[in-house]
Amino acid sequence: MNPIRVLLAEDQAMIREALTALLSFEDDIEVVAQVGRGDEVTSAAKDAKPDVALLDIEMPGMDGLAAAAALRKQSPDIKIVILTTFGRPGYLRRAMESGVSGFIVKDSPADKLARTIRQVRNGQKVIDPDLAAAALTEGASPLTPRERDVLAASRDGATIAEIAATLYLSEGTVRNYLSACIQKTGARNRTEALRLAQERGWLL
């Protein structure tokens, strides 16, 4: 039987190499491509023709969830597994919406990764049951895409004027979006709204 061909997308070289080394011990799995940026995933998949793509969420160029959606559109037969440091319910919900077959946190036991690759290759969905239950309990993000953009742009203490300039919006529009974010998250201010949205996986 031919080995399962794997594409690995992870921006931290040390982790990428460690995962590749880990999978090299499996007789039925072969890492055929490695990339460190989300916007390199689709082109690498076109060249390497993997069976399974392992995508980290937080990558430069394009986040893993956006890369997953792009890969599904280009190559729907490739199974996708999301790797993340944080098991946030909001991330899981967005991953499922992107057509992902598996969702693994990086502190999972080593043998779980290889087992997950085999399971998704065989058409199964592999999701941590506790995380799935939390995602169902919490519900979908109440933020619109534009509200999410504005709230994300407020990181690092950006001023209203700076956010407006970055997103090509008026300052009044930015204030309205931030006010909506505060109301929808139940926060007292935009700093708390940002923290709550990040903890729930509504932002990347």
Side-chain angles (χ1 to χ4, degrees), residues 167-189:
L167 299 177
Y168 303 102
L169 298 171
S170 71
E171 293 184 22
T173 299
V174 169
R175 288 191 183 91
N176 289 339
Y177 279 132
L178 288 175
S179 177
C181 291
I182 292 168
Q183 181 178 10
K184 289 181 178 181
T185 58
R188 292 168 295 184
N189 51 53

Side-chain angles (χ1 to χ4, degrees), residues 124-179:
Q124 299 178 47
K125 295 275 189 181
V126 183
I127 307 296
D128 180 88
D130 293 335
L131 188 57
L136 290 173
T137 300
E138 185 173 282
S141 169
L143 305 178
T144 66
R146 205 52 168 157
E147 288 167 353
R148 193 167 63 230
D149 289 343
V150 169
L151 191 57
S154 72
R155 288 186 177 112
D156 302 320
T159 65
I160 297 293
E162 288 169 340
I163 298 170
T166 298
L167 299 177
Y168 303 102
L169 298 171
S170 71
E171 293 184 22
T173 299
V174 169
R175 288 191 183 91
N176 289 339
Y177 279 132
L178 288 175
S179 177

Side-chain angles (χ1 to χ4, degrees), residues 82-94:
I82 291 292
L83 296 168
T84 181
T85 304
F86 307 104
R88 292 172 177 165
Y91 284 176
L92 174 57
R93 180 176 289 276
R94 290 176 61 192

Side-chain angles (χ1 to χ4, degrees), residues 5-200:
R5 298 170 61 82
V6 172
L7 162 65
L8 175 58
E10 160 66 56
D11 65 319
Q12 297 184 48
M14 187 176 295
I15 294 177
R16 188 169 66 245
E17 291 167 6
L19 289 171
T20 300
L22 177 69
L23 293 174
S24 71
F25 290 109
E26 305 295 331
D27 294 335
D28 59 340
I29 296 174
E30 178 185 2
V31 176
V32 295
Q34 300 179 46
V35 297
R37 295 176 56 89
D39 53 6
E40 296 174 343
V41 168
T42 53
S43 59
K46 188 177 294 185
D47 293 338
K49 296 180 173 53
D51 302 304
V52 177
L54 300 180
L55 310 181
D56 184 26
I57 282 189
E58 297 182 0
M59 292 187 288
M62 179 185 289
D63 68 67
L65 298 179
L71 185 57
R72 283 284 298 169
K73 184 175 181 179
Q74 173 188 284
S75 306
D77 291 337
I78 296 176
K79 307 299 183 182
I80 302 170
V81 176
I82 291 292
L83 296 168
T84 181
T85 304
F86 307 104
R88 292 172 177 165
Y91 284 176
L92 174 57
R93 180 176 289 276
R94 290 176 61 192
M96 294 300 98
E97 292 170 353
S98 298
V100 166
S101 296
F103 193 97
I104 301 180
V105 291
K106 291 179 182 176
D107 62 357
S108 298
D111 63 337
K112 184 175 181 179
L113 178 58
R115 187 167 65 250
T116 296
I117 290 172
R118 297 184 185 104
Q119 288 175 310
V120 300
R121 180 67 180 87
N122 291 329
Q124 299 178 47
K125 295 275 189 181
V126 183
I127 307 296
D128 180 88
D130 293 335
L131 188 57
L136 290 173
T137 300
E138 185 173 282
S141 169
L143 305 178
T144 66
R146 205 52 168 157
E147 288 167 353
R148 193 167 63 230
D149 289 343
V150 169
L151 191 57
S154 72
R155 288 186 177 112
D156 302 320
T159 65
I160 297 293
E162 288 169 340
I163 298 170
T166 298
L167 299 177
Y168 303 102
L169 298 171
S170 71
E171 293 184 22
T173 299
V174 169
R175 288 191 183 91
N176 289 339
Y177 279 132
L178 288 175
S179 177
C181 291
I182 292 168
Q183 181 178 10
K184 289 181 178 181
T185 58
R188 292 168 295 184
N189 51 53
R190 67 167 174 158
T191 300
E192 185 177 354
L194 177 62
R195 178 181 59 79
L196 290 170
Q198 288 177 318
E199 288 176 353
R200 294 167 184 171

